[in-house]
Amino acid sequence: MSKTYKDYKIYCCFTLNRLVSELGIDLYQEGLEGKLDDVLASRPNGISKEEIKHEIRSNHFMTNKVLEKLLEDGLVRIEEREGRYEVSITREGVLYVRKYNEFFLSIYREQIQEHYRYRGLPHWARGAER
């Protein structure tokens, strides 16, 4: 099986969904918008840039490109803490990924399945098909 090229948009999807999973919430629950500020305030820390690189299984260049785009769009925050970069999702990021996961799955289904072939599809990919 040859490795398929993935553009930064699918990596943005992987990154945002990984950050949502760190919140420990059901992305598709009723009334999420009303609870979101409290959820984000109770979980102020994100994950390291290295964890993002591992999640998207890409190189330093692509990781930076993805994070720059997400930061530019206001979907993540990046803070330097104790010599490392910590990435957190914003309210806008959560709502964005909730809205577009189904679209991402319809466009990138093969790439998503290939990316997670050894781990199995994550919750977000199964939940978006509701």
Side-chain angles (χ1 to χ4, degrees):
M1 174 187 264
S2 65
K3 185 174 181 178
T4 57
Y5 173 76
K6 298 180 193 101
D7 68 22
Y8 79 94
K9 293 175 187 174
I10 190 65
Y11 288 129
C12 288
C13 171
F14 294 150
T15 300
L16 290 171
N17 278 290
R18 173 64 159 77
L19 292 167
V20 166
S21 74
E22 290 296 311
L23 297 175
I25 61 171
D26 175 1
L27 186 58
Y28 304 103
Q29 66 183 280
E30 288 284 326
L32 176 63
E33 293 86 349
K35 302 172 190 174
L36 203 45
D37 290 331
D38 291 336
V39 168
L40 291 170
S42 69
R43 294 169 182 88
N45 297 330
I47 62 174
S48 72
K49 185 176 172 182
E50 191 63 32
E51 288 174 278
I52 297 293
K53 183 177 162 186
H54 178 74
E55 178 66 26
I56 66 175
R57 294 186 302 179
S58 190
N59 60 32
H60 178 74
F61 174 77
M62 183 59 83
T63 302
N64 283 342
K65 184 176 178 179
V66 166
L67 291 176
E68 287 168 9
K69 177 63 175 157
L70 293 173
L71 186 62
E72 177 185 311
D73 291 346
L75 304 177
V76 300
R77 281 186 315 281
I78 302 174
E79 297 177 18
E80 188 173 353
R81 290 195 178 156
E82 301 173 10
R84 70 178 202 145
Y85 291 99
E86 193 169 272
V87 183
S88 302
I89 195 163
T90 63
R91 175 183 180 80
E92 293 78 15
V94 173
L95 297 176
Y96 175 90
V97 79
R98 178 181 177 167
K99 181 177 180 179
Y100 290 107
N101 264 350
E102 190 172 332
F103 172 74
F104 287 135
L105 281 165
S106 69
I107 300 293
Y108 297 112
R109 179 170 307 281
E110 287 180 29
Q111 292 95 330
I112 291 170
Q113 289 174 337
E114 186 266 327
H115 187 80
Y116 291 107
R117 73 180 175 264
Y118 297 114
R119 295 189 279 173
L121 284 177
H123 183 266
W124 67 265
R126 294 185 309 265
E129 295 179 321
R130 290 183 192 180

